[in-house]
Amino acid sequence: MSAVPPQAVVDLHTHSLRSDGRETPAEVVAAAAAAGVDVIALTDHDVYSGWAEADVAGTRLGVTVVPGVEVSCRWRGISVHLLGYLPDPTHRGLLAELEESRASRDTRLRRMVDLLAAEGYPISYEEVLQEAGPDATLGRPHVADVLVRNGVLADRSAAFETLLVPGSPFYVSHYAPDPVRATELVVAAGGVPVMAHPFASTRGRVVEESLIEEMAQAGLAGLEVDHRDHGPAEHARAERTATRLGLLRTGSSDYHGSGKPNRLAENTTRPEVLEQILERGSGTPLLGAPLGARRRA
């Protein structure tokens, strides 16, 4: 395997419109190239469908693409996001969990839209499907975008703080695997599991460290320490937890295009950490350009 160049700019958490991003996988790769990013991971929620397009764009633009997925989990009512790098997309156990999550999301969103429409909000399930596009993993951001487009709210953040927040009369939960089980499945698929923004309290309640310990015992490889939703105290806590448990420390943008203010490479992962991730992953090869390739204009 090629070594990761020591000067490489590495962003290991991005989303396309195959889940809740606003750009195609090719556009995400092009944005990375324009931002001077050498390596990105495409980590759409519960779906692999953007990998092939990202591969073609990365090869053309000189960007290396780490194939990934963000597994939506739940623990004691708390949302937990598990990044899986380099998993085998045909692994039956992991694939079955992702498919069940997506099917549950579809049913859940239809119910949420029905509840909103019944209260007079201008929204239909057909509009949500149109907003998401084909093959996308449906989520609350797509409902939020329709509400924004129809003039109900100013932006996604307002939607997630009011109508779509857990506890709202319009909120409906969905199936999500236990994070320890999800960690085991990512490892079984030859992937490398990293817990995303573990202490992002601005998103709601955060998990107890006992869960992270269980996940580490199940094969968790790292924590996403550097993330815009970690303030100084959360960052320090994530650093301490990673050190105590012997976990890798990653940094990422969690880029969604215009869907969120996050900008590519606002947080990055050290090249030597990416090297360790690549050494551990065996489920699927890198996509796009070879490591160290010079981008073409």
Side-chain angles (χ1 to χ4, degrees), residues 120-139:
Y121 289 100
I123 189 169
S124 69
Y125 190 64
E126 289 69 27
E127 287 178 290
V128 173
L129 292 178
Q130 187 175 40
E131 184 70 35
D135 302 321
T137 297
L138 295 176

Side-chain angles (χ1 to χ4, degrees), residues 16 18 25-26 29 41-44 47-58 65-70 84-90 94 98 283-285 287-288:
S16 77
R18 298 302 174 94
V29 174
L42 184 66
T43 52
D44 281 316
V47 71
Y48 307 123
S49 62
W51 288 7
E53 185 179 330
D55 185 21
V56 173
V65 179
V66 179
V69 65
E70 187 167 10
Y85 302 116
L86 306 163
D88 175 1
T90 67
L94 181 56
L98 300 181
T284 196
L287 306 173

Side-chain angles (χ1 to χ4, degrees), residues 110-297:
R110 186 183 291 275
R111 177 62 179 151
M112 290 180 72
V113 168
D114 287 347
L115 290 170
L116 286 162
E119 287 297 313
Y121 289 100
I123 189 169
S124 69
Y125 190 64
E126 289 69 27
E127 287 178 290
V128 173
L129 292 178
Q130 187 175 40
E131 184 70 35
D135 302 321
T137 297
L138 295 176
R140 286 181 296 159
H142 300 119
V143 176
D145 289 344
V146 173
L147 292 171
V148 171
R149 191 180 69 224
N150 291 346
V152 176
L153 296 165
D155 52 34
R156 277 188 180 182
S157 296
F160 276 82
E161 291 167 0
T162 56
L163 297 178
L164 304 184
V165 68
S168 159
F170 308 110
Y171 180 85
V172 178
S173 63
H174 64 90
Y175 171 77
D178 174 83
V180 175
R181 172 62 174 157
T183 299
E184 293 171 342
L185 287 171
V186 170
V187 172
V192 183
V194 171
M195 188 177 182
H197 40 71
F199 301 123
S201 58
T202 57
R203 294 170 174 250
R205 292 188 299 139
V206 299
V207 301
E208 297 172 10
E209 292 193 28
S210 60
L211 172 66
I212 302 176
E213 292 168 2
E214 289 184 54
M215 293 171 69
Q217 293 171 1
L220 184 71
L223 296 180
E224 189 180 53
V225 172
D226 295 306
H227 187 282
R228 71 155 46 215
D229 290 344
H230 279 172
E234 292 82 9
H235 183 275
R237 184 182 180 189
E239 285 270 13
R240 290 194 303 270
T241 303
T243 299
R244 179 170 64 85
L245 297 177
L247 301 174
L248 299 174
R249 283 162 274 189
T250 69
S252 312
S253 66
D254 199 355
Y255 178 73
H256 286 70
S258 61
K260 288 186 177 181
N262 310 46
R263 300 275 63 87
L264 284 161
E266 65 180 30
N267 290 294
T268 58
T269 295
R270 298 194 308 276
E272 60 269 26
V273 172
L274 174 60
E275 188 80 56
Q276 293 180 67
I277 290 173
L278 298 181
E279 288 172 355
R280 299 185 190 194
S282 61
T284 196
L286 290 171
L287 306 173
L291 286 166
R294 187 168 64 87
R295 289 185 298 275
R296 296 191 296 271

